[in-house]
Amino acid sequence: MSVKLQKGQKVSLSKENAGLSTVVVGLGWDEVEQKRKGFFASKPKPIDCDAFAILLKNGKLTDNNDVVYFGNLTHYTQSVRHMGDNLTGAGEGDDEQIIIDLNSVPAEYDRIVLAVNIYQARERAQHFGMIQNAFIRLVDGRNNSEMCIYNLTENYSNQTAMLFGEVYRHNGEWKFNAVGQGTTDNSIGEFARRYL
């Protein structure tokens, strides 16, 4: 049975799901319909959101290879895989997915940050206030059952990147924290520098 999470709520993954090994992280969003500003105005560019994962050691990013995104689809340990880039967010269900093999995450990594940024947000004058129905959900890879979902419901106008949540290790068990924190970072690299 799926748990609906509120901002800041933490939930145990491994305690509630004995033998859990593979977690499918589904991230989704819809673009708010944009209106043209005048008869001759060009059609607005679609918003291209990019999901990514940052693997941290003691809360710090120590290597650029610990960022898994459309340009580095698989972590070198094979423990975190990005399933590919969705350029528009169109369609039902998850727009992008990141798969975490909990048993393969080396012990020195204590936290995996799960975030989304808008590609070329400043250049295109786009922000998360133009996004609706954003969510992150965690699915048990063994049986495709949803364990928890967090719907981001706040107004994130002028925010160009979003920390959706974190999967982390605590006292030998895996947990998830629903964060929902917006930033004004303009790229994955800029966001990742927060953890140096």
Side-chain angles (χ1 to χ4, degrees), residues 30-120:
D30 293 319
E31 191 174 328
V32 174
E33 191 173 335
Q34 301 177 54
K35 295 188 173 38
R36 292 184 190 197
K37 297 179 170 85
F39 185 75
F40 293 106
S42 61
K43 186 177 182 204
K45 285 195 175 207
I47 298 175
D48 178 8
C49 289
D50 295 317
F52 57 99
I54 304 173
L55 286 81
L56 303 178
K57 296 177 182 175
N58 294 318
K60 295 284 186 194
L61 173 63
T62 60
D63 188 318
N64 287 342
N65 291 320
D66 289 336
V67 181
V68 178
Y69 68 109
F70 64 85
N72 179 33
L73 290 173
T74 304
H75 191 258
Y76 67 89
T77 63
Q78 307 293 311
S79 60
V80 179
R81 290 179 292 135
H82 190 299
M83 300 311 291
D85 193 12
N86 177 335
L87 299 176
T88 65
E92 294 293 313
D94 301 338
D95 291 311
E96 293 190 10
Q97 291 182 330
I98 295 170
I99 297 177
I100 304 172
D101 182 350
L102 300 174
N103 295 337
S104 297
V105 177
E108 63 264 27
Y109 294 102
D110 59 340
R111 188 157 44 124
I112 302 170
V113 171
L114 301 159
V116 174
N117 90 304
I118 298 174
Y119 180 71
Q120 294 186 333

Side-chain angles (χ1 to χ4, degrees), residues 123-178:
E123 296 85 342
R124 298 179 179 188
Q126 296 173 339
H127 54 82
F128 272 90
M130 305 162 96
I131 299 284
Q132 62 186 356
N133 306 324
F135 67 86
I136 181 171
R137 67 190 195 106
L138 275 64
V139 173
D140 186 333
R142 297 170 298 183
N143 54 22
N144 262 356
S145 66
E146 184 178 277
M147 296 179 288
C148 61
I149 186 165
Y150 168 44
N151 293 296
L152 285 72
T153 56
E154 293 180 25
N155 181 346
Y156 295 105
S157 290
N158 302 318
Q159 307 293 297
T160 53
M162 183 70 56
L163 170 53
F164 274 53
E166 301 170 331
V167 171
Y168 65 100
R169 250 190 267 254
H170 182 71
N171 293 336
E173 66 178 276
W174 286 100
K175 297 188 169 198
F176 175 71
N177 179 21

